Amino acid sequence: MGAPPVKPFASSADLTEKQQSLEVLADGVYALTAEGDPNVGAVEGEDFVVCFEALATPAAAREWLARLREHTDKPVRYLVLSHYHAVRVLGASAFDADVIVAHDQTRALIAERGAEDWASEYGRMPRLFKDPDSIPGLTWPTATFNDRFTIHLGGDRGTLELLYCGRGHTEGDIVAWLPRHKILFAGDLVESQAALYTGDAFHRDWAAGTLDRVAALGAEALVGGRGAVARGRDAVDAAIAQTRGFLTVMIERVGAVQARGGTLKEAFQEVHAELEPRYGRWPIFEHCLPFDVARLWDELSGTERPRVWTAERDRAVWAELQD
């Protein structure tokens, strides 16, 4: 018998375009989902628009804006970035936003590792980088905050609350909360029927206090980082529970392997065996898991902050764990 086939690196072989769906969640509240590709959204104010997430390139972002313009021609005043990853931020220039908002720590992460992350994510997910030459450079927020940033939407539209719920997917994730409609744009802190990427995560914080604070908002519709919109309280609770369950399994299995003196490769194999029956059919599961386990191994070994992912480190970890 020959050796098992080598798995293509990350999502490099995923070249099939995904079907996008624009959903109107309430009057002036929009979400664009795409079969497991990164989700984006928008909220209308009285005379302006707030966009949530920027996609990987200006060319990709312009396609989303063209869909949005079928519903509103109001100018984009605010572009909200939930965190620093390249596929979420590098399309920002297409929005021509007056203000680009992110967490204080997101700005620090862009300065510290934004260029490396750009190269890493382009290698992992080339299909998402439509016309990469359209990217003018790193995206820099023009307004940052620590705990809360309130956008008054005008008229009777209420407010959009940008909130920091704690360390999770990265050090600087924020959510966008519409109290009037009980709609939450959760970024990659919650995934609905999609696997988690945790290569820059703080797993224990995320699985405990951070998700507790997200759940306490009481959302009745939730747009996660990937996957379908969760509609209704039961679906929202299920998405949060799914996210917490993924993290909990990882923490328990990796911790057990470390406790008995096992190896990183053994930890990956045990986590994969336990998670694959439930999550393996979902987007980017095989892509993410080697990077997830490598970061968690570091975290449980005492490395407080995630190591920088470079294109070279990506390939080394993949070869060690997934090949």
Side-chain angles (χ1 to χ4, degrees):
M1 293 178 63
V6 175
K7 293 178 179 176
F9 173 68
S11 290
S12 60
D14 178 8
L15 303 177
T16 303
E17 290 296 321
K18 303 299 189 285
Q19 180 65 43
Q20 294 184 336
S21 300
L22 193 152
E23 301 181 46
V24 181
L25 306 182
D27 180 31
V29 183
Y30 310 98
L32 187 76
T33 63
E35 298 183 312
D37 276 0
N39 295 334
V40 294
V43 177
E44 288 188 54
E46 188 173 24
D47 57 3
F48 63 90
V49 171
V50 182
C51 286
F52 188 73
E53 311 287 36
L55 295 174
T57 68
R62 282 192 287 270
E63 292 181 358
W64 150 231
L65 286 168
R67 297 285 300 274
L68 182 62
R69 290 309 179 208
E70 296 172 6
H71 297 266
T72 177
D73 61 0
K74 296 172 184 176
V76 178
R77 182 175 298 173
Y78 297 93
L79 173 62
V80 178
L81 306 176
S82 69
H83 62 285
Y84 81 100
H85 285 144
V87 295
R88 303 290 185 183
V89 305
L90 292 180
S93 62
F95 293 82
D96 196 24
D98 295 334
V99 183
I100 301 175
V101 188
H103 190 264
D104 293 337
Q105 192 58 43
T106 291
R107 193 183 203 289
L109 287 165
I110 292 168
E112 178 187 48
R113 57 185 71 188
E116 292 84 354
D117 180 72
W118 178 353
S120 166
E121 296 210 347
Y122 183 44
R124 293 183 190 182
M125 297 172 280
R127 178 178 53 77
L128 298 182
F129 287 79
K130 185 184 295 290
D131 187 9
D133 291 340
S134 67
I135 304 171
L138 292 175
T139 294
W140 295 99
T142 59
T144 63
F145 67 98
N146 186 46
D147 294 315
R148 178 186 295 261
F149 187 104
T150 299
I151 297 174
H152 295 277
L153 298 173
D156 62 353
R157 291 181 176 268
T159 61
L160 179 66
E161 305 289 341
L162 308 182
L163 306 171
Y164 177 66
C165 296
R167 299 189 305 183
H169 175 71
T170 71
E171 288 176 272
D173 296 84
I174 60 174
V175 302
W177 170 235
L178 277 166
R180 180 183 175 204
H181 298 295
K182 296 190 180 299
I183 296 172
L184 181 67
F185 292 88
D188 281 318
L189 282 176
V190 180
E191 306 292 6
S192 179
Q193 298 184 26
L196 275 61
Y197 176 65
T198 72
D200 295 302
F202 295 80
H203 296 76
R204 292 170 292 189
D205 287 4
W206 187 359
T210 299
L211 281 180
D212 288 344
R213 286 184 279 276
V214 171
L217 292 170
E220 295 178 2
L222 182 148
V223 183
R226 294 173 184 261
V229 176
R231 294 175 177 269
R233 189 60 183 272
D234 288 348
V236 171
D237 289 347
I240 294 171
Q242 165 201 306
T243 302
R244 196 192 306 268
F246 194 107
L247 295 166
T248 300
V249 167
M250 289 181 60
I251 293 166
E252 290 175 349
R253 297 317 311 149
V254 174
V257 172
Q258 286 192 348
R260 69 167 188 259
T263 65
L264 173 61
K265 178 77 174 219
E266 290 169 345
F268 172 75
Q269 290 170 337
E270 291 200 14
V271 170
H272 188 283
E274 187 156 347
L275 289 177
E276 196 277 335
R278 180 178 179 190
Y279 298 96
R281 70 187 186 281
W282 287 353
I284 66 172
F285 174 79
E286 296 291 350
H287 164 164
C288 292
L289 203 63
F291 310 120
D292 295 354
V293 174
R295 163 54 190 158
L296 180 55
W297 184 271
D298 281 356
E299 183 180 356
L300 297 182
S301 300
T303 301
E304 174 67 10
R305 298 187 67 242
R307 288 190 279 159
V308 176
W309 290 103
T310 64
E312 295 75 21
R313 183 175 173 230
D314 287 354
R315 294 280 181 173
V317 167
W318 187 269
E320 180 180 1
L321 299 183
Q322 189 71 296
D323 281 358

